[in-house]
Amino acid sequence: MTERPSRRGRRFPVGSYLAAVVFAVPFLLPFYLLLRNSLMTQAELGALEWHWWPEKISFTGFTDAFDNSTVPLGRALLNSALVAVISAPVSTLLASMTGYAVARIRVAAARPVFVLVVATMMVPGAATFVPTFVVVGSMGGVNTLWGLIVPGLFNALAVLLFRGFYLRFPQEIEDAGRIDGLGHLGVYLRLALPNSAGLLAALGVLSFIEHWNSFLWPLVIGQDPAFWTVQVAMSTNLTSQAINLPALFASAVISVIPLALVFLAAQRYIVRGIMATGIKG
Amino acid sequence: MSLRTGRPGTSAGPVTGPAPAAPRRRRVDWPAWRAFILLTAPLVVGLVVFKYVAMGWGLLLSFSNARGTIALGDWAGLANYRALLDDPRFRTSLSMIVVFTLVIVPLTFAIALGLAVLVNRLRRGRALFRTTFFLPAAVSYVVASLIWKMSLFSGVPSSAANSLAALFGQEPTAWIATVDPPLYWVVLITVRLWLQIGLYMILFLAGMQEIPGELYEAARVDGAAGEWRLFRHITFPLLRNTSVAVTLLLVIASFQAFDEFYNLLSTGLAGAPGPDGRPPLVYLYDVSLVQQDYGVGSAGAFVVTLLIVVVTLVQGRLVGLGRKDGE
C-alpha cells in the first residue's frame, strides 16, 4: 500500500471550472449592464448599435436622479434606510425574546402562546396584504412611517428558530446564573442573548435585505410620494410614460450598492441564516 | 418510591398519612409570569393585531359590500366570492399562476441543484463562484425588472437579447410588448430564475455538507464510480429533506408572485398588465387598491390563501413530509 492516493490525487476538474465560468456569465451580465447603463446618455441607450462601454462616461444620470421633483429619490432612500435599519434589529430581537420565553420559562401559557405564534406561519404573508391594509388603514397607518414599518416586525418563523436554539441552551449555564442571583430576565439578557449572537446576526442581516428590497407592502401603504421607499420610487419611474433611463439606472445603482456591500461583508451570516430558515421552513 | 414528594397534587397524598400540606402545591410563580409576559407581549400583541384581527376583519369584509369603505355591516353573503369566481380575469390569473408555477419550480430546482453540484466539485475558488451565483439575491425585483425590461430584453436593436439575436441574423423583437407570440414569458421566467437560483443553491450546498464523505469513498471502492451514478445513488437520495423544503418554498413563493409582473408588464401605477400576464396578487392589488373594492379584495385574499395552504398540504402529503422528521 505504498500508492496511497493523496487527497489531491484526483484530476483537477477542468471541465467543472469551464462550466462554472460559462454559467457565471449570465449571472454577472445584468450587473454589468446596470453599471454600464447608468454611465451612458439617453441617446446612447437608445442607439441601434450595441456598445460594450459608453464612449464618454457621463454622470448626468446620477445628478438627474436626484433632480426629479415628482419622484423624490433622496427622501425615498432615507425612508428605505429607516425601514431597514429599524426593522432588522427590532424584528430579530422581538423574535428572540419570544423564542426564549416559550422555550425556557415554564408557565402554563408557554405552550398556547407558542401555538398562537406558529399558527400564523400557515398564512402566506404577501397573499393577505388586503386584510393587513384594512387593519393598518383603520388605525390611520396609510402614509405614515409606522404603517410602513410596524406590520413587518413580527416574524413567526424567526421565533421558531430562536426557540429551537434556546431549547439547546445548556441548563448548567442558566443554573449558574440563577445562583448568582439572576432572574429570568437576567438570564436572558446577560447569558442567553449574548450567546445567540450568531443567530441574531444571521437573521438580522437577512431581515435587513428583505426589508430594503420589499415592494408590495410599501407600494400599498405609502401612497404619498413622501412615504415612498426607494423600490417604490424606482417602480414609479419604471412604469411611467416618459423615462429618463440613465437616471433610472443610476438610482438603481445607488439602491443596490449599500446592499451589495452588506451582502459581501456578511455572506457568512447570510448563508447561515438561509440554512436555518430554509431547512425548517 | 418518593410518591409524596414527586406527586404533591395526587389525591393519594392526604389519605396515606399525615403529609405536611405541601407548601409548594401549584403556587403561581409570579416572577416567571412577569418575565414571560414582558418578553412575549410585544410580539404576541403585534401578531394578534396584524394577523389575527386582520384575518378576522378581512373574513367579515369578504361577506360585506365594501366598495370604497372598510366598514362592516352591509352584508352581502357570498356575493363577493361569486363575483370573484365569475370574473374571467380572476380565473385567468389562477390558471396563469398555475402554469407559471409548473414552469418556474422545476427549472429553479434543477438549475440550483446543478449549480450546487458544480460548485461543490470545485476545489479552489469555490467561494468566488458561490458568491457569483448567489449575488443576485441582494438585488430587488424592482431593480431586476428594470434591467430586464429596459436593457436585457428591451425592444431596441441594441438591447442584449436583440444584439445576440442579430448575430444569428434575427430581426429585433419586442420581447415584452407582444402577446403573440408570448415572448414575455421568457422575460418573466429568466428574471425570477436569476433572482432566486442562488438562494436555493445555498440550501442544496448546505444539504450536501451533511452527506458523509465516506459514502462516496465506499462507492468508489465498490467500483460504482462515475459522477452520474454517485449523484443518482448517493447525493440525490440523501438530499431528500432539502429537496422537499426547496420545492415547498418555491411553490409558496411562486403563488405569491407580484413584483416582477407589476413592474415588467404594467404601464402605469394605476394601469395593470393585460389579462394574460396577470397573477392573482396583481389582480387583487387592482381590485382593492385601484378600484377600492375591499369586499372582493378580501374574498380574493382568502381564496388565494386557501389555495396555497391546500397545495402545500397536498404536496407535503405526496412527498411524505413528517414521515421522517429531521428534527
Side-chain angles (χ1 to χ4, degrees):
Chain A
M1 296 297 274
T2 47
E3 267 192 334
R4 200 166 130 264
S6 72
R7 293 192 103 249
R8 301 197 161 271
R10 258 170 262 136
R11 272 185 302 118
F12 187 76
V14 181
S16 297
Y17 278 94
L18 213 62
V21 170
V22 169
F23 277 116
V25 172
F27 278 84
L28 293 174
L29 180 72
F31 287 108
Y32 153 75
L33 286 174
L34 178 63
L35 188 65
R36 185 201 70 169
N37 295 355
S38 73
L39 300 172
M40 280 182 160
T41 59
Q42 182 92 10
E44 223 174 350
L45 274 169
L48 295 174
E49 294 278 303
W50 166 271
H51 289 290
W52 283 104
W53 201 244
E55 280 182 7
K56 187 169 170 293
I57 287 183
S58 150
F59 288 101
T60 48
F62 286 87
T63 48
D64 284 0
F66 286 97
D67 278 347
N68 186 338
S69 57
T70 46
V71 182
L73 183 65
R75 181 68 193 259
L77 283 165
L78 180 69
N79 286 340
S80 282
L82 278 173
V83 169
V85 167
I86 294 173
S87 301
V90 172
S91 68
T92 314
L93 189 67
L94 289 184
S96 158
M97 286 158 51
T98 307
Y100 180 82
V102 295
R104 300 305 287 244
I105 303 181
R106 286 185 199 84
V107 294
R111 186 79 201 163
V113 165
F114 179 59
V115 172
L116 183 90
V117 170
V118 173
T120 62
M121 286 172 58
M122 280 294 283
V123 179
T128 52
F129 75 90
V130 181
T132 315
F133 174 77
V134 166
V135 159
V136 176
S138 75
M139 296 161 78
V142 179
N143 290 327
T144 62
L145 263 183
W146 78 257
L148 201 54
I149 295 173
V150 174
L153 294 179
F154 314 104
N155 185 343
L157 174 59
V159 173
L160 188 66
L161 297 170
F162 274 112
R163 175 180 172 268
F165 178 87
Y166 292 127
L167 279 176
R168 275 172 277 136
F169 184 71
Q171 183 68 41
E172 296 82 55
I173 299 182
E174 185 185 333
D175 291 344
R178 287 313 197 72
I179 289 167
D180 288 349
L182 292 177
H184 283 287
L185 284 177
V187 170
Y188 169 68
L189 287 172
R190 302 269 186 89
L191 303 174
L193 190 63
N195 265 293
S196 50
L199 190 56
L200 282 166
L203 296 178
V205 173
L206 277 188
S207 167
F208 186 92
I209 294 176
E210 192 190 315
H211 280 102
W212 180 274
N213 282 341
S214 89
F215 175 63
L216 176 54
W217 181 250
L219 175 74
V220 164
I221 207 70
Q223 298 168 355
D224 185 283
F227 294 96
W228 284 348
T229 63
V230 69
Q231 308 298 339
V232 176
M234 285 188 292
S235 170
T236 306
N237 278 327
L238 179 59
T239 52
S240 71
Q241 295 299 329
I243 305 180
N244 180 339
L245 276 178
L248 191 43
F249 280 106
S251 48
V253 168
I254 296 166
S255 82
V256 166
I257 282 177
L259 213 54
L261 293 180
V262 168
F263 192 87
L264 291 173
Q267 215 195 124
R268 195 159 50 102
Y269 296 110
I270 296 170
V271 170
R272 214 182 286 160
I274 288 173
M275 283 160 59
T277 41
I279 286 167
K280 306 250 178 92
Chain B
M1 292 294 264
S2 57
L3 223 159
R4 237 179 284 154
T5 49
R7 301 163 68 189
T10 49
S11 55
V15 185
T16 44
R24 302 189 64 206
R25 187 170 177 271
R26 289 230 156 231
R27 191 166 57 88
V28 176
D29 187 353
W30 287 115
W33 273 99
R34 211 190 53 186
F36 185 83
I37 291 168
L38 276 173
L39 287 173
T40 56
L43 186 126
V44 169
V45 169
L47 280 183
V48 165
V49 171
F50 295 108
K51 295 279 181 197
Y52 286 95
V53 172
M55 295 297 282
W57 192 332
L59 192 65
L60 294 177
L61 264 186
S62 76
F63 298 115
S64 309
N65 285 315
R67 280 171 207 270
T69 175
I70 52 173
L72 299 169
D74 186 1
W75 302 109
L78 290 170
N80 289 330
Y81 288 91
R82 214 171 292 133
L84 191 71
L85 297 173
D86 278 346
D87 188 345
R89 291 176 307 158
F90 183 65
R91 292 206 304 260
T92 316
S93 81
L94 287 183
S95 50
M96 193 271 161
I97 204 64
V98 169
V99 175
F100 182 71
T101 305
L102 289 174
V103 176
I104 195 75
V105 172
L107 265 182
T108 310
F109 187 101
I111 300 176
L113 179 58
L115 284 182
V117 171
L118 184 66
V119 168
N120 212 31
R121 283 166 58 95
L122 306 177
R123 276 174 234 156
R124 294 173 142 267
R126 183 188 290 187
L128 180 70
F129 282 103
R130 194 190 62 195
T131 306
T132 303
F133 298 134
F134 189 30
L135 195 57
V139 179
S140 75
Y141 273 87
V142 178
V143 169
S145 300
L146 162 65
I147 303 171
W148 256 247
K149 185 180 184 180
M150 291 301 170
S151 192
L152 264 178
F153 287 100
S154 88
V156 299
S158 63
S159 75
N162 282 338
S163 300
L164 190 67
L167 293 180
F168 299 96
Q170 297 288 316
E171 290 292 307
T173 313
W175 291 88
I176 296 176
T178 75
V179 181
D180 183 37
L183 288 173
Y184 63 89
W185 274 86
V186 176
V187 184
L188 288 171
I189 296 290
T190 50
V191 73
R192 184 166 275 249
L193 282 177
W194 185 69
L195 284 165
Q196 72 179 7
I197 278 175
L199 188 118
Y200 295 98
M201 177 197 72
I202 296 290
L203 284 179
F204 280 124
L205 275 173
M208 286 175 187
Q209 307 311 313
E210 309 276 304
I211 303 175
E214 300 90 67
L215 282 177
Y216 294 101
E217 297 302 327
R220 283 206 181 84
V221 169
D222 291 345
E227 295 297 332
W228 172 246
R229 292 188 61 186
L230 290 179
F231 175 78
R232 235 191 66 183
H233 294 292
I234 298 176
T235 313
F236 192 62
L238 287 176
L239 281 178
R240 192 175 166 281
N241 284 348
T242 310
S243 301
V244 170
V246 164
T247 314
L248 283 174
L249 292 172
L250 278 172
V251 170
I252 294 172
S254 166
F255 269 93
Q256 299 190 83
F258 176 86
D259 298 8
E260 78 268 45
F261 288 85
Y262 181 92
N263 286 295
L264 284 168
L265 303 180
S266 78
T267 47
L269 258 184
D276 296 311
R278 177 147 68 169
L281 259 55
V282 175
Y283 174 88
L284 291 184
Y285 177 83
D286 193 42
V287 166
S288 44
L289 271 298
V290 181
Q291 300 169 25
Q292 308 223 329
D293 190 336
Y294 300 107
V296 174
S298 301
F302 282 98
V303 172
V304 175
T305 300
L306 191 70
L307 194 67
I308 295 175
V309 170
V310 168
V311 168
T312 313
L313 289 178
V314 167
Q315 207 185 344
R317 183 63 58 86
L318 279 181
V319 294
L321 195 73
R323 197 195 302 156
K324 209 170 69 178
D325 256 330
E327 263 180 289

